[in-house]
């Protein structure tokens, strides 16, 4: 169930690294309560956009608001409402799993110890293992388990399925699906087929530029002429992958 | 790591307790290095638990107050390093027999000083790096920047690159540098933890290394500040400098050849000891042997100095003018005898109390001037010292305790009596000792004076200053004979005098036109 107003809104957001433009005037609005999939090929600018939203990077131009606050002025109070999971997230490697949970608990006023125990059991996290000794998949599960017990208003997931085996993907996606509706989820991924299972809204990024944003229903409407032009006439339920490919081809043709 | 650093500190203090023994002195060098490296590594490691540069660290997306985080890290290092150091230093001071109240205050001040001037800068540096490898690289880079700046400064400005270096007021420059370091560290920590501006922080660190070299206190301002701090007593009003009756003579000395004897090793040593101007001067002379300087011998004396006073030369600025008043040569801090007063011990004088002051003039200036007349102006910055206290102690196995000298002992060792003292707080830089027989006969007074007018700035590593004098009582070659010799030590005593500053002042001595060389010398 969608609530009123966007929880994330960007205006003309741009980021350059030297001469390389990673983002070009991004305008997106993430409705509160949605599962918003930020999609695109590797290097499209998804991670850059997310890092700007969380004030991990500063924008070169434009502005972004998260939970009603400018992202560059994000406060600990706002961060206490945001859960974040990233494939590159560096958790303290010397801490044991249970020590890290102990370290996090006092940081969040709304930490739910029961939910924490459920998540740890569900994701089968070994309490005595050092985080540095965990596999990539286990570390992602660990990050997810740390992002949920305080019942975040916004859950930001940056390529959460990257490099995971099928079993781990299913476990993680099950975790997302349980949260869908309870919280707003912003998920970036290039795994189009997997994201299709739970996204309510999508935004396609290509080479730092926004190709489309809107609900999944609006996307189908928007993509129909492109699919027809691509010879997919009569494909009532085209996949995100097919739509994305059609959008990118159309963008390339326009650029040419 | 905390345990290792504490162990290093314990070993350091333990060996420091026996500091005046030869084996301890050998052990202390590596221990000092380990002390610095251990504390720096621990401080850096605490910061690097949550590196600031980068965008993937978990702590960045947690609702942590940056102020709490910085304060927690500072508090941890203070507890892990400064508190054990405080306890060890206090135990060390107690073991040496210093009073508890005095030790407590001085040691507390020293720990604050270590924290502000060493630990905090290390933490600031670490906050601008991702890992320990980067810390080492950035620190090495800063050292290179600093060393190159010093060399460049010394190359172009000679001794003027650091007007206060090697003088009693160099502590003012050190205070300025420490203030720069502290301010820079605070700004870097703020930039990193509140703005995460790593590039700006690193640029600031490099700029700071350059500022340490090029922001120098002008001599006149520093000397005036020292005078104000000491509080001018006006005691030096009557003191004048007088030139001897004879005309200054000159002699061309082949210093290049003399320097060759010392070799490049000597120059390298000078560089490592922080005298880049002297090291560069050596290389200049080595490259141009024809530049051998001429030494101008100038008889002079100070009048108006009483027998319990010493006159120290803090700086001498020499200016040589041609007969048309054109400045030919200017040099500051030429090698001059430390003390000018004719009557004071250790200074060779003639019967009128005049002593020869030797001023080097470069070979090129000497040749340019030829047989024309020259005028010399010498601006002296001087300090009048006066004996402020004196103590007697037994010549053999004597023990002396006094607040302004610390703890002293005397021990006879074949040819001389070793007087060894240890003191907490402000170090003594001017003192003397004389061996007296009960009937009043005495050996020459031995004076030690290395100007250092600092109020109290503790060394980072030591809490106790060690100093001493050897009083010879027998010449193993039989050439010298002493009024009081080793057979009388049982009944003899040592008179220890402490000198304190009374006044800092300036005097100018102008030498009217004279010829550096006769025409046939050319």
């Amino acid at each position: 169930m969608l609530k009123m107003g966007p929880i994330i809104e960007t205006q003309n957001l741009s980021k350059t690294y030297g001469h390389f433009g990673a983002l070009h005037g991004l305008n997106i609005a993430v409705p509160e309560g949605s599962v918003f999939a930020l999609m695109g090929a590797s290097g499209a600018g998804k991670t850059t956009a997310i890092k700007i939203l969380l004030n991990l990077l500063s924008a070169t131009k434009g502005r972004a608001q998260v939970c009603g606050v400018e992202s560059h002025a994000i406060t600990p109070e706002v961060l206490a409402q945001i859960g974040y999971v990233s494939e590159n997230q560096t958790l303290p490697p010397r801490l044991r799993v249970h020590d890290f949970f102990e370290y996090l608990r006092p940081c969040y006023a709304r930490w739910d110890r029961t939910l924490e125990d459920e998540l740890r059991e569900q994701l089968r996290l070994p309490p005595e293992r050092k985080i540095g000794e965990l596999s990539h998949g286990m570390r992602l599960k660990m990050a997810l388990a740390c992002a949920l017990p305080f019942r975040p208003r916004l859950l930001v997931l940056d390529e959460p399925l990257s490099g995971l085996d099928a079993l781990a993907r299913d476990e993680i996606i099950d975790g997302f699906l349980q949260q869908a509706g309870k919280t707003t989820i912003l998920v970036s991924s290039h795994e189009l087929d997997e994201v299709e299972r739970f996204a309510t809204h999508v935004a396609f990024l290509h080479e730092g530029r926004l190709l489309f944003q809107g609900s999944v229903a609006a996307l189908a409407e928007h993509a129909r002429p492109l699919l027809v032009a691509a010879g997919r006439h009569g494909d009532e339920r085209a996949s995100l992958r097919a739509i994305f490919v059609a959008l990118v081809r159309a963008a390339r043709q326009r650029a040419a | 790591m905390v345990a290792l650093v504490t162990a290093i500190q314990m070993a350091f203090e333990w060996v420091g307790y026996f500091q005046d023994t030869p084996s301890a002195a050998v052990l202390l060098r590596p221990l000092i290095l380990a002390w610095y490296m251990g504390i720096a590594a621990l401080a850096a490691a605490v910061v690097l638990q949550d590196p600031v540069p980068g965008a993937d660290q978990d702590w960045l997306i947690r609702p942590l107050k940056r102020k709490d985080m910085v304060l927690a890290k500072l508090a941890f290092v203070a507890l892990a390093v400064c508190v054990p150091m405080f306890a060890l230093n206090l135990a060390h001071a107690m073991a040496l027999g210093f009073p508890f109240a005095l030790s407590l205050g001085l040691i507390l001040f020293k720990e604050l000083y270590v924290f502000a001037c060493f630990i905090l800068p290390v933490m600031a540096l670490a906050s601008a790096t991702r890992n320990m490898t980067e810390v080492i690289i950035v620190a090495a880079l800063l050292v290179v920047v600093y060393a190159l700046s010093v060399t460049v400064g010394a190359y172009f400005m000679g001794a003027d690159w650091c007007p206060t270096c090697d003088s009693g007021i160099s502590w003012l420059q050190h205070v300025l540098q420490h203030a720069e370091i502290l301010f820079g560290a605070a700004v870097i920590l703020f930039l990193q933890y509140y703005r995460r501006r790593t590039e700006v922080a690193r640029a600031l660190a490099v700029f700071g290394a350059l500022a340490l070299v090029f922001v120098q206190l002008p001599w006149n301002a520093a000397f005036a500040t020292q005078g104000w701090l000491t509080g001018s007593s006006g005691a030096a009003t009557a003191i004048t400098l007088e030139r001897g009756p004879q005309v200054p003579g000159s002699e061309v000395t082949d210093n290049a050849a003399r320097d060759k004897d010392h070799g490049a090793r000597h120059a390298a040593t000078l560089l490592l000891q922080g005298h880049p101007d002297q090291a560069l001067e050596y290389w200049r002379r080595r490259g141009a042997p024809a530049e051998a300087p001429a030494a101008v011998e100038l008889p002079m004396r100070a009048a108006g100095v009483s027998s319990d006073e010493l006159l120290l030369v803090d700086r001498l600025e020499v200016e040589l003018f041609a007969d048309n008043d054109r400045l030919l040569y200017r040099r500051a801090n030429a090698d001059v005898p430390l003390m000018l007063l004719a009557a004071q011990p250790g200074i060779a004088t003639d019967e009128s109390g005049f002593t020869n002051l030797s001023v080097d003039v470069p070979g090129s200036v000497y040749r340019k001037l030829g047989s024309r007349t020259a005028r010399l102006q010498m601006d002296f910055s001087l300090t009048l010292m006066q004996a402020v206290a004196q103590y007697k102690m037994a010549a053999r196995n004597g023990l002396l305790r006094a607040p302004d000298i610390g703890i002293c002992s005397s021990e006879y060792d074949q040819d001389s009596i070793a007087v060894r003292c240890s003191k907490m707080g402000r170090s003594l830089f001017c003192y003397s000792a004389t061996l007296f027989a009960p009937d009043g006969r005495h050996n020459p007074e031995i004076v030690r004076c290395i100007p250092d007018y600092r109020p109290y700035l503790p060394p980072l590593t030591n809490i106790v200053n060690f100093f001493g004098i050897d009083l010879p009582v027998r010449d193993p070659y039989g050439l010298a004979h002493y009024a009081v010799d080793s057979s009388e030590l049982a009944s003899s005593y040592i008179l220890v005098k402490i000198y304190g500053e009374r006044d800092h002042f300036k005097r100018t001595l102008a030498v009217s036109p004279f010829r550096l060389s006769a025409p046939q010398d050319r």
Side-chain angles (χ1 to χ4, degrees):
Chain A
M1 184 182 66
L2 298 187
K3 295 166 189 173
M4 294 295 288
I7 193 167
I8 292 174
E9 192 167 19
T10 71
Q11 288 173 9
N12 200 27
L13 199 63
S14 300
K15 176 72 182 177
T16 54
Y17 296 99
H19 295 295
F20 173 71
L23 271 184
H24 303 278
L26 181 67
N27 293 294
I28 57 168
V30 179
E32 187 148 18
S34 65
V35 179
F36 193 102
L38 192 59
M39 313 199 67
S42 296
K46 305 181 297 291
T47 297
T48 299
I50 285 179
K51 287 192 187 297
I52 292 172
L53 290 174
L54 291 174
N55 196 27
L56 297 172
L57 290 176
S58 54
T60 310
K61 213 167 71 176
R63 55 194 292 243
Q65 279 200 327
V66 182
C67 301
V69 174
E70 292 292 329
S71 67
H72 62 80
I74 210 160
T75 58
E77 288 72 28
V78 175
L79 284 174
Q81 303 173 44
I82 302 173
Y84 173 73
V85 178
S86 162
E87 62 164 337
N88 299 320
Q89 196 165 352
T90 311
L91 301 170
R94 290 188 188 87
L95 284 188
R96 295 182 191 282
V97 169
H98 72 89
D99 290 333
F100 190 52
F101 279 100
E102 269 182 40
Y103 162 74
L104 288 181
R105 269 178 228 136
C107 299
Y108 297 92
R110 293 172 54 195
W111 190 275
D112 183 339
R113 184 64 196 268
T114 313
L115 180 57
E116 176 203 317
D117 292 340
E118 283 172 20
L119 286 163
R120 285 169 64 170
E121 195 177 337
Q122 183 188 337
L123 296 170
R124 294 187 301 283
L125 295 172
E128 293 301 326
R129 289 274 293 278
K130 284 188 175 174
I131 294 171
E133 295 168 357
L134 298 177
S135 67
H136 175 67
M138 288 298 275
R139 272 205 294 274
L140 268 177
K141 284 194 225 172
M142 170 88 188
L144 185 65
C146 293
L148 295 174
F150 54 94
R151 302 189 187 282
R153 185 179 162 201
L154 171 66
L155 185 59
V156 179
L157 309 161
D158 185 14
E159 299 282 4
L161 305 174
S162 210
L164 295 183
D165 58 55
L167 194 62
R169 281 178 184 222
D170 271 357
E171 284 176 344
I172 297 263
I173 290 171
D174 284 347
F176 300 158
L177 291 174
Q178 284 176 19
Q179 296 306 312
K182 297 178 192 169
T183 181
T184 308
I185 299 177
L186 170 66
V187 56
S188 86
S189 181
H190 61 273
E191 310 276 351
L192 305 174
D193 299 333
E194 304 282 6
V195 172
E196 197 168 16
R197 292 164 57 187
F198 52 83
T200 61
H201 289 68
V202 290
F204 284 121
L205 278 180
H206 177 62
E207 293 179 351
R209 289 184 168 80
L210 183 68
L211 298 181
F212 171 83
Q213 73 156 327
S215 66
V216 172
L219 176 65
E221 199 61 35
H222 176 80
R224 189 169 295 145
L226 296 172
L227 291 168
V228 170
R232 304 280 299 264
H233 181 63
D235 195 346
E236 290 297 320
R237 187 79 176 90
S239 66
L240 283 180
R241 179 192 296 277
I243 295 171
F244 176 67
V245 170
L247 282 169
V248 169
R249 281 184 181 153
R252 282 182 180 159
Q253 279 172 3
R254 280 198 300 275
Chain B
M1 198 165 184
V2 173
L4 181 66
V5 171
T6 308
I8 290 171
Q9 290 190 44
M10 288 174 77
F12 181 69
E13 292 302 326
W14 177 252
V15 175
Y17 181 74
F18 304 100
Q19 185 161 335
D20 51 352
T21 63
S23 53
V26 171
L27 276 173
L28 268 177
R29 281 191 178 185
L31 275 173
I32 286 178
L33 189 66
W35 187 92
Y36 276 112
M37 292 187 71
I39 291 174
L42 178 60
V46 169
V47 172
L48 292 172
Q49 287 293 311
D50 313 280
V52 182
D56 295 321
Q57 301 87 305
D58 184 80
W59 72 272
L60 293 172
I61 48 91
R62 301 291 172 196
L64 303 170
K65 286 187 178 160
R66 303 293 165 91
K67 185 178 78 179
D68 294 347
M69 188 166 190
V70 177
L71 288 178
K73 286 178 186 293
L74 295 177
F76 179 84
V77 177
L79 281 172
V81 175
C82 297
V83 170
M85 192 165 24
F86 177 83
L88 288 166
N89 284 172
L90 196 59
H92 187 168
M94 296 293 98
L96 286 171
F98 289 102
F100 178 77
L102 170 78
S103 309
L104 196 70
L106 291 172
I107 292 169
L108 192 63
F109 179 70
K110 183 236 172 193
E111 308 313 346
L112 283 172
Y113 183 66
V114 169
F115 190 80
C117 294
F118 179 54
I119 292 175
L120 210 59
V122 170
M123 293 178 82
L125 187 69
S127 75
T129 58
R130 290 165 214 271
N131 49 50
M132 204 55 96
T133 310
E134 277 194 14
V135 171
I136 293 166
I137 291 170
V138 171
L141 184 73
L142 290 177
V143 169
V144 169
V145 168
Y146 181 83
L148 279 177
S149 309
V150 166
T151 309
V152 168
Y155 183 81
F156 287 107
M157 299 166 71
D160 283 342
W161 79 273
C162 175
T164 58
C165 278
D166 300 326
S167 76
I169 58 172
S170 60
W171 73 273
L172 285 167
Q173 180 66 31
H174 296 156
V175 167
L176 177 70
Q177 288 175 333
H178 290 162
E180 285 171 12
I181 290 171
L182 186 57
F183 178 72
V187 171
I188 288 174
L189 283 171
F190 175 83
L191 277 175
Q192 284 303 84
Y193 280 101
Y194 290 88
R195 298 283 182 271
R196 296 181 59 237
R197 303 288 300 274
T198 301
E199 287 79 14
V200 179
R202 288 180 178 179
L204 186 69
V206 173
F207 177 77
L210 291 172
L212 285 181
V213 176
F214 293 112
V215 178
Q216 295 284 340
L217 283 173
W219 174 264
N220 287 337
F223 194 68
T225 305
Q226 182 62 57
W228 176 74
L229 289 171
T230 302
S232 180
S233 61
T237 314
I239 294 175
T240 55
L241 298 184
E242 297 170 354
R243 187 164 69 80
Q246 61 270 54
V247 174
S250 69
E251 180 193 346
V252 177
T253 56
D254 188 2
N255 277 351
R258 194 181 67 201
D259 288 341
K260 270 178 191 163
D261 294 338
H262 292 305
R265 193 174 163 185
H266 177 62
T269 308
L270 285 170
L271 200 60
L272 290 173
Q273 287 173 343
H275 304 292
D277 52 321
Q278 292 174 30
L280 287 167
E281 183 69 22
Y282 162 79
W283 286 111
R284 277 201 193 105
R285 286 182 185 177
R286 193 181 164 90
E291 288 295 299
V296 179
E297 300 291 335
L298 189 72
M300 62 171 299
R301 72 178 175 191
V305 182
S306 66
S307 60
D308 66 339
E309 291 174 333
L310 297 174
L311 195 58
L312 305 183
V313 181
D314 293 307
R315 179 181 161 105
L316 169 59
E317 193 172 303
V318 176
E319 289 176 319
L320 187 68
F321 295 91
D323 46 11
N324 57 1
D325 274 351
R326 190 164 59 88
L327 181 66
L328 292 172
Y329 173 64
R330 178 182 164 278
R331 185 174 175 191
N333 277 348
D335 296 333
V336 290
L338 184 66
M339 289 171 280
L340 278 180
L341 177 59
Q344 64 199 9
I347 301 293
T349 63
D350 63 14
E351 61 277 5
S352 310
F354 283 97
T355 184
N356 261 351
L357 181 70
S358 180
V359 175
D360 276 0
V361 174
S364 57
V365 175
Y366 182 75
R367 283 198 305 279
K368 194 189 291 181
L369 195 63
S371 57
R372 287 182 293 156
T373 56
R375 183 167 63 81
L376 197 62
Q377 179 167 310
M378 297 190 290
D379 293 314
F380 288 88
S381 298
L382 302 161
T383 294
L384 181 66
M385 305 291 294
Q386 188 178 40
V388 289
Q390 55 184 39
Y391 300 97
K392 283 181 186 177
M393 65 187 295
R396 207 163 188 169
N397 301 325
L399 182 67
L400 170 66
R401 282 173 187 270
D404 48 4
I405 198 168
I407 303 168
C408 295
S409 63
S410 61
E411 194 173 331
Y412 173 58
D413 182 17
Q414 288 194 331
D415 302 325
S416 61
I417 300 169
V419 179
R420 296 288 175 264
C421 301
S422 55
K423 182 178 184 299
M424 288 193 71
R426 190 187 183 197
S427 59
L428 283 183
F429 66 86
C430 203
Y431 49 92
S432 73
T434 316
L435 182 64
F436 277 84
D439 59 6
R441 283 176 297 117
H442 63 88
N443 288 353
E445 182 182 9
I446 308 283
V447 180
R448 290 277 177 275
C449 238
I450 303 170
D452 183 358
Y453 309 125
R454 71 184 63 198
Y456 175 57
L457 279 181
L460 291 178
T461 48
N462 296 339
I463 48 161
V464 180
N465 302 301
F466 291 89
F467 55 97
I469 291 181
D470 286 337
L471 298 172
V473 288
R474 190 180 77 90
D475 181 358
Y477 304 104
L479 298 174
H481 295 281
Y482 294 94
V484 184
D485 64 23
S486 55
S487 64
E488 301 174 81
L489 292 186
S491 56
S492 300
Y493 65 91
I494 298 166
L495 185 71
V496 181
K497 272 190 198 174
I498 302 168
Y499 292 87
E501 307 119 88
R502 284 204 72 193
D503 210 351
H504 300 278
F505 61 102
K506 290 191 165 195
R507 291 289 182 270
T508 298
L509 190 66
V511 180
S512 51
F514 66 98
R515 285 183 205 285
L516 267 177
S517 62
Q520 63 269 28
D521 288 348
R522 295 284 89 196

